[in-house]
Amino acid sequence: MLLPKMRDLELQPQSSAAQPWPHSDPCRDRSFSFGRFVLMAALFLCMTVGSLPLFFLLMKRPYGLQAASAIVYTIFAVFFTFARTGSRTGKDVPPFMFTCPAVQPHFSRLLGRHLGFLVVLFALQTAALATRPNLPEWWNIEDRKGATPFHLALILLCFGLGYAQVFSNRSLLDRAHRDFSA
């Protein structure tokens, strides 16, 4: 009884573009792009190796901490918005390609969001630095490495804001891909 039903079933292979999302996603092309590799490697190196000298270079200037933070924050946001990254569940988070037709119409929206996040970052850092002298003394006590609880709180604040932006950017681009593929 089961055999006739299976015999009636027709299987026709479809191209990946004709299959439902996520297989029709234009960013799922796994071909290697040397230009993308160089750009992502440069962003990664600037974010990891170049950020510390940047902070040392700009710390003595007025608003130097905010300027260095804005530069490193921008690199962080671009890298983690467009890079293929792993997650705790072991599932890879797919990349978003700069040349993807689903992504390109949203560049101005991503830029506007980023400028808004930079304004918030600058305001939060400036407010935190202004209130630092009024905080209890234990906030400014240095440990063996010279770090203070205030510095840790400021770093966590910046990473939290960066994570919020990357998460919202990736959600926007994910919706754009679903709409593009529909």
Side-chain angles (χ1 to χ4, degrees):
M1 190 95 172
L2 186 61
L3 289 175
K5 288 183 181 178
M6 290 195 53
R7 203 172 1 144
D8 295 337
L9 190 75
E10 291 184 31
L11 296 175
Q12 296 176 352
Q14 295 178 338
S15 70
S16 63
Q19 293 179 3
W21 192 89
H23 301 289
S24 63
D25 186 354
C27 282
R28 284 198 167 258
D29 181 21
R30 295 203 182 251
S31 62
F32 180 77
S33 167
F34 184 71
R36 178 180 170 78
F37 172 75
V38 168
L39 176 65
M40 296 308 271
L43 288 172
F44 181 77
L45 289 174
C46 288
M47 184 175 55
T48 56
V49 178
S51 61
L52 194 58
L54 182 66
F55 277 99
F56 285 134
L57 181 69
L58 295 177
M59 280 306 266
K60 302 295 183 204
R61 297 179 182 207
Y63 298 106
L65 175 70
Q66 290 94 327
S69 295
I71 294 168
V72 173
Y73 180 88
T74 299
I75 295 169
F76 176 89
V78 171
F79 181 80
F80 283 106
T81 296
F82 290 97
R84 174 186 305 276
T85 57
S87 66
R88 290 186 153 191
T89 61
K91 187 176 101 177
D92 277 350
V93 177
F96 293 110
M97 306 298 180
F98 296 107
T99 58
C100 175
V103 171
Q104 286 182 344
H106 297 281
F107 279 144
S108 60
R109 193 169 183 189
L110 290 172
L111 182 62
R113 280 182 176 200
H114 182 64
L115 292 175
F117 274 98
L118 283 178
V119 167
V120 170
L121 176 71
F122 185 83
L124 286 175
Q125 284 184 328
T126 303
L129 291 171
T131 59
R132 184 179 185 181
N134 301 327
L135 292 174
E137 188 176 318
W138 65 270
W139 275 90
N140 297 310
I141 295 175
E142 293 184 0
D143 63 4
R144 283 182 261 139
K145 296 180 182 178
T148 65
F150 177 79
H151 290 133
L152 179 62
L154 199 58
I155 289 170
L156 290 175
L157 176 85
C158 294
F159 273 114
L161 193 64
Y163 178 76
Q165 181 182 356
V166 167
F167 183 76
S168 69
N169 287 350
R170 291 190 72 87
S171 295
L172 170 77
L173 294 177
D174 190 42
R175 280 191 311 275
H177 279 83
R178 288 178 193 269
D179 292 343
F180 185 82
S181 297

